Amino acid sequence: MKKIRLKNGVEMPMEGFGVFQIPQETCEEAVRTAIDTGYRLIDTASSYQNEEAVGSAIQSCGVPREELFVTTKAYIQQMGYRQTKEAFEESLQKLGLEYLDLYLIHMPFGDYYGAWRAMEELYREGRIRAIGVCNFLPDRLLDLCCNADILPQINQIERHPHYQRKEDLELMKELGVQPQAWAPFAEGLKGMFEEPVLKKIAQKHQRTPAQVILRWNVQQGVIVIPKSVHRERMEENLSIWDFELDGEDLEQIACLDQGCPSMLDTRKVSEVRRVYDYLRNPVLTSL
């Protein structure tokens, strides 16, 4: 597994296992299977409602804690200096851990400036190895960076062939913020797996479209966290480190960019309403 060095020197696996929408009752087994398959980066969030299951899997997997890279996130109602300090302690308790490898602000809403001050303190205390944000568009990311003592080490964003975000990546490179792609397959929306270009490239390399998508991301320096509850898919997603896309492949994939999100658009009023509605009715499939 290839690792990438963050701006603060911490090494992070370039491919991990995401647990979004995996229910608490099946999450522990899924995470344990993922770790057994070879994943060492595990990504969860307080809003996923499965931190306890992730923690149980970590405790029982047989892999030393220092070999795992564990990420969780604070959601909107946990924004604010005091609220984020409390949220951190709650997540740490649910996970059964003494420290986090990465702690993220989940959405660019609420008092995330207060949250960031709390995270900076926790980072300085050594309780978090790296801190970052999710779903921050370039304007909000730059504004935070202009006002923070410690710049985010990660920005976790929706990124896939239909939404390639070239300008976002350029700004992150300028700021030294590492991009990480959630939903790298866009959950198959808009016919992602049926794209003729991706199928053609997959056939050329004797791979699957999913493997081509993941390889496309990591080859451009973007960390990925695909999700599956099936061991064979976990193995497939992890088998991307022994081939390389060529220039022609990359040019063809570039033409698939539709320039808009498939999953989450934080500039739409309807989407902002949806993420706030999640606070009142936290159904896993809603976010």
Side-chain angles (χ1 to χ4, degrees), residues 60-116:
S60 62
C61 70
V63 174
R65 168 67 182 94
E66 61 271 17
E67 293 183 17
L68 298 174
F69 194 101
V70 184
T71 302
T72 194
K73 315 174 189 76
Y75 200 58
I76 303 169
Q77 81 280 14
Q78 298 168 322
M79 293 295 95
Y81 178 85
R82 175 185 57 81
Q83 295 94 322
T84 299
K85 283 287 188 77
E86 293 174 355
F88 171 79
E89 298 295 347
E90 182 179 352
S91 287
L92 212 60
Q93 183 177 16
K94 287 181 177 179
L95 289 163
L97 302 177
E98 295 182 356
Y99 68 92
L100 285 176
D101 296 283
L102 178 62
Y103 198 38
L104 301 175
I105 289 174
H106 203 154
M107 291 283 180
F109 304 124
D111 180 17
Y112 59 79
Y113 276 97
W116 192 254

Side-chain angles (χ1 to χ4, degrees), residues 181-192:
W182 63 263
F185 308 135
E187 297 187 353
L189 296 175
K190 298 182 180 179
M192 177 71 74

